[in-house]
Amino acid sequence: MARRVDVLGVGMVSSVGLSAAMTAASVRAGVARFRESTWADHRFQPITIGMVPTDQLPPMAPEIGDEWELGERRRRMVRLAGRALGSACPARRRHGACLSCSEAIRAIRRRWSRSF
């Protein structure tokens, strides 16, 4: 038996938009924000990337804090995910359909605790 799924929201963060609508409009307009990074490939050449500016990311959730010792890369991923989840879940209070911040954090802790 097939299950019904209702999509109540969409979230996206990219180098060309901080929401799904902004990203779609930028892609349609042919906008590309690629730049050389400070990271190097196996030939020690700079890697060209599209990156969301750090000042456009929300602060780290207080529930996570510094106790996790995530490292800069994982802290950035959590901040990127937080912005996208926030965009995807504006109807959360009305419908109760999206994971709460604390539920998402518990799921991330379980996943990362098994990784190391």
Side-chain angles (χ1 to χ4, degrees):
M1 173 183 261
R3 288 184 159 181
R4 178 183 165 167
V5 175
D6 294 329
V7 178
L8 301 177
V10 175
M12 179 183 292
V13 175
S14 72
S15 62
V16 295
L18 298 177
S19 68
M22 287 171 59
T23 298
S26 295
V27 169
R28 282 193 301 271
V31 174
R33 289 199 181 121
F34 294 112
R35 65 176 177 87
E36 283 189 353
S37 72
T38 57
W39 302 307
D41 64 14
H42 66 281
R43 291 173 289 183
F44 302 102
Q45 297 299 310
I47 298 172
T48 301
I49 62 170
M51 187 175 219
V52 178
T54 302
D55 64 345
Q56 297 296 312
L57 299 176
M60 194 66 133
E63 296 95 327
I64 296 174
D66 294 329
E67 67 195 52
W68 278 28
E69 300 175 10
L70 294 176
E72 191 57 36
R73 181 173 159 229
R74 285 192 170 155
R75 291 179 72 80
R76 182 175 175 78
M77 288 190 303
V78 168
R79 290 174 68 194
L80 283 163
R83 184 163 192 120
L85 285 170
S87 296
C89 299
R92 174 171 48 108
R93 290 184 193 92
R94 291 190 307 273
H95 302 291
C98 189
L99 287 176
S100 70
C101 185
S102 59
E103 289 171 316
I105 290 168
R106 281 195 299 274
I108 291 168
R109 279 186 175 164
R110 282 193 303 272
R111 170 67 179 107
W112 281 348
S113 67
R114 290 191 305 253
S115 297
F116 299 98

